[in-house]
Each structure stands twice: as structure tokens, then as C-alpha cells.
DNA sequence: CAAAACGGAATGAATGTTCATTCCGAAATA
DNA sequence: TATTTCGGAATGAACATTCATTCCGTTTTG
């Protein structure tokens, strides 16, 4: 077996959560898509909530790891740091687009536990620190960090949804264009 | 009675849908928040899906109306048109913030019917035409309209969420700043 | 080496719960 | 009083979860 049952379950749940949401996805749907018995899910996860929280924490963890990988921490060139973050998010989306869409659409779920919220907060703090450093250096606009992050987030997520829906083709120029648009949105001119 | 039962139901449902989603909101929750009996809901709406679709269509309709109100259609100054759209969206958010958040979080719901999708498409088409006109005039970046719209959308929604959460205060300067950031994101420099 | 016994993993029918919806007596209205 | 509106208990369907049973690879026994 190339994938363990646990992985089959997580993969199936991810896809379903992305297009139907947590509350709109039933356990039988997950078990059917995963090709396992309904009871098997409970051998790996305490309940449906534990499943979504595990998934959430794993996805956030991987994204943070991806962004941190090779991050020019000591550099004081904000443009370079921005470029790294954007490139790594693109890399993450390429590897697992659904994970990115899942994170985006589940960050405010009423079913997320403390650990999930904390994991997400770590990601957010990282990004806020980047923004605030830029604001201190008068490179980034003095707007709420949340709004600036959402602006970039919104653009990338929408872009990836278009790509997923097959409406547009992913090309290096396209990605570079969105990156530039994001940078122009947050920087001071 | 200052509000009809129908309005009480719609208002209660709107709030619940915004913070729990459609599937996460039960009919008893709506009836309790509205202060009416569960059965009463079915005097005004055929079922839960009809309720969410009515709400969606009314919200989209009001938003389109708000944006159209005083739109400088004949002008060929894109910056002016952009300013109008942004101002009217801000006006809409001021009047009914939850409606804006509701629209944002329910556009892809599996429960939306044909009429809802069509209503939303009308809004989207309007915005796309604005983007494409700008691209033809070489004022707006040649990126997918969806991505550019999402970029602006993401910024405004996040900003309003911050305001709603009380994290930041809504000031004219703040709104002007976000407007400018959005414009810088989509225009060619 | 073959046969039997074992035990953890997997299953899906069974269970109790929660939900959307219905229905009918009560209350309001005319 | 007749008619309409309302409320919330009642209903049946769908759900999350459980558990007695099956399955199958491994180990023990003869």
C-alpha cells in the first residue's frame, strides 16, 4: 500500500472540506471517498472534529516550514524577503493546492480547537512581523497588517482558484505579475 | 412591530450564516435568535435553502444597486470610476457589514440555486467589464480579472473584519489608504 | 513443513442523537 | 365569530459514532 489508511482518510477529507466545508461534509462521504469503512476513520481519529483539526495543523505546519525554508532572515532587503515568501507560497500551492484552499476557507471555523488556532497564529505572527518591519523602514504602507495580508492572500487564493478551475493557465509571467501587483499594493510609492 | 417576522428571520439568519456558515447553522438556532417559532420560518420560506437563497439574492441586489447609484457610466476616467465603486462598497459595508461578509463567504455554496448564481454573475460581470476596459486602455495590469477582483475584495473584506472585531478603528484616512493600495495593485505603473 | 491459534486492523450494520420539516391547537386579528 | 398567523411539540430522515464480527498476516504448535 503506497498510502496508509490514515493518509487516504486525510486526503479524502481535505478535498471534501475544500468544496463542501466542514459542516457540509459527512463522515460517510469521507469514508466512501477514502475507500475505507466508516469505522476505520475512528481508529485513526477520535471524532470528526479531531480529524479536521489534525488536517488543519498539518497543513499550517507544512506551510510554515515551506516559508521558513531558506528564508533570508538576516537580510534587511524587504523586497527580497517578500519575494521569498511569495515564491514559497507558490511552491506550496503547486505541491498541494487543496491544502492552501483548505487553510484559507477554514481559518475561522467554529470547530477549530486551541492548538489549531495557535498554529495559525504562528503563521500570522510571522507575516505581521514582516509587515511591521517594513512599516518601520517606511517601505510598506501604514495600514493594518491584517488588511495588507488579506490583500495578498486574496489575490493568491483567487489566482489559484482560477487555475484549479482551468479558467486560466499557470505561467511564470502570470505568477510574476501577481507577485508584482501584491508588492505594489503594500509598498509605499 | 417595527420589523416584520420575515425581516427578523432574515436578519437572524444573516448573522448566523456569517459566523457559522450555512451548514453549521440550524433552523432552531435561527428561530431562537429571531425570537419566533421554528414553524413560523416555514410560513415565510419554503425551506432552509430557499431562505439562504432569498438572503443571497437580496444582498447581491442591494450591493449592485448601491454601486450603480450615481456610477459615472459615460466617463472614461477609470480612476474616477474605481473611486466610485470603492466608495459605494464602503457605503454598503457601513450600512450592513454582515451582508458584505455573508456575500463574500457564501458565493461558492453548494446550496445556491440558479437565480443566486445568476445574480452574483451580474455583479461579477459588471466588475470584469470595468477591469477589461482598463486593460484595453493600458491603465490596468494584464492579469486575470478574477485575480484582480479578488485582490481588492480580499483587502476590503479583511479590513471590515478587523473593524468588526474592534481591532482597528474605521477612519477616513484608513479607508482612503486601502483604496489607494487597491488602485496601486491593479493599475500599471 | 503443515495446521492451528492468535491478535490487531478493518468493517458496516446498529444505535442514539440531531436535524429540517410538519402539523395542529392556541393566539391574534378582523 | 371566522380567519389568519403563530408556536413548539411531534415526526421521520440523516447524521456521527459504536461495537460485535470478520479478515488476514504472523506466530506457535505438532
Amino acid at each position: 500500500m503506497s498510502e496508509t489508511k490514515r493518509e487516504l482518510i486525510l486526503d479524502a477529507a481535505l478535498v471534501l472540506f475544500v468544496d463542501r466545508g466542514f459542516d457540509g461534509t459527512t463522515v460517510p462521504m469521507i469514508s466512501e471517498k477514502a475507500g475505507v469503512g466508516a469505522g476505520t476513520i475512528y481508529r485513526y481519529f477520535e471524532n470528526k472534529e479531531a480529524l479536521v483539526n489534525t488536517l488543519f495543523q498539518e497543513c499550517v505546519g507544512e506551510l510554515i516550514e515551506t516559508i521558513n525554508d531558506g528564508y533570508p532572515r538576516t537580510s534587511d532587503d524587504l523586497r527580497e524577503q517578500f519575494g521569498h515568501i511569495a515564491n514559497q507560497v507558490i511552491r506550496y500551492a503547486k505541491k498541494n493546492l487543496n491544502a492552501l484552499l483548505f487553510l484559507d476557507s477554514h481559518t475561522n471555523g467554529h470547530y477549530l480547537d486551541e492548538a489549531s488556532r495557535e498554529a495559525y497564529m504562528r503563521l500570522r505572527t510571522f507575516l505581521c512581523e514582516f509587515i511591521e518591519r517594513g512599516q518601520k523602514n517606511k517601505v510598506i504602507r501604514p495600514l493594518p497588517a491584517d488588511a495588507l495580508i488579506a490583500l495578498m492572500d486574496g489575490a493568491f487564493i483567487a489566482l489559484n482558484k482560477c487555475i484549479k478551475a482551468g479558467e486560466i493557465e499557470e505561467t511564470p509571467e502570470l505568477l510574476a505579475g501577481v507577485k508584482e501587483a501584491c508588492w505594489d499594493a503594500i509598498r509605499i510609492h
Side-chain angles (χ1 to χ4, degrees), chain A residues 63 66 86-100 160 163 170-172 175:
Chain A
L63 179 54
T66 304
N87 286 338
Q88 293 303 86
V89 171
I90 290 166
R91 178 188 306 256
Y92 182 80
K94 251 186 189 142
K95 199 175 58 174
N96 195 349
L97 175 52
N98 279 320
L100 194 67
N160 280 297
I163 291 168
E170 181 185 333
T171 63
L175 295 175

Side-chain angles (χ1 to χ4, degrees), chain A residues 37-159:
Chain A
T40 306
I41 290 175
Y42 291 85
R43 293 197 59 75
Y44 293 95
F45 305 97
E46 198 186 327
N47 53 35
K48 194 183 165 194
E49 288 207 359
L51 168 54
V52 78
N53 279 286
T54 299
L55 199 49
F56 190 86
Q57 287 158 43
E58 286 189 5
C59 289
V60 173
E62 267 188 58
L63 179 54
I64 291 178
E65 221 174 272
T66 304
I67 293 178
N68 267 326
D69 187 22
Y71 183 70
R73 201 168 297 281
T74 56
S75 164
D76 59 352
D77 181 349
L78 281 152
R79 178 65 216 249
E80 186 194 337
Q81 292 183 335
F82 171 83
H84 174 85
I85 294 172
N87 286 338
Q88 293 303 86
V89 171
I90 290 166
R91 178 188 306 256
Y92 182 80
K94 251 186 189 142
K95 199 175 58 174
N96 195 349
L97 175 52
N98 279 320
L100 194 67
L101 299 179
F102 168 70
L103 286 179
D104 179 63
S105 57
H106 286 70
T107 48
N108 284 306
H110 56 90
Y111 36 79
L112 290 190
D113 63 18
E114 200 47 50
S116 293
R117 289 184 199 288
E118 202 176 298
Y120 184 65
M121 195 52 76
R122 242 175 299 141
L123 174 60
R124 160 155 299 265
T125 301
F126 177 87
L127 295 174
C128 283
E129 276 167 7
F130 165 75
I131 297 281
E132 282 156 15
R133 213 171 329 119
Q135 289 174 335
K136 208 166 286 170
N137 294 0
K138 306 260 183 241
V139 177
I140 292 180
R141 309 171 106 103
L143 292 173
D146 280 335
L148 295 177
I149 291 170
L151 203 145
M152 299 185 286
D153 187 62
F156 267 109
I157 295 292
L159 179 73

Side-chain angles (χ1 to χ4, degrees), chain A residues 14-29:
Chain A
L14 180 67
V15 173
L16 287 165
F17 288 158
V18 167
D19 50 63
R20 304 189 50 90
F22 174 74
D23 291 304
T25 301
T26 69
V27 173
M29 283 178 196

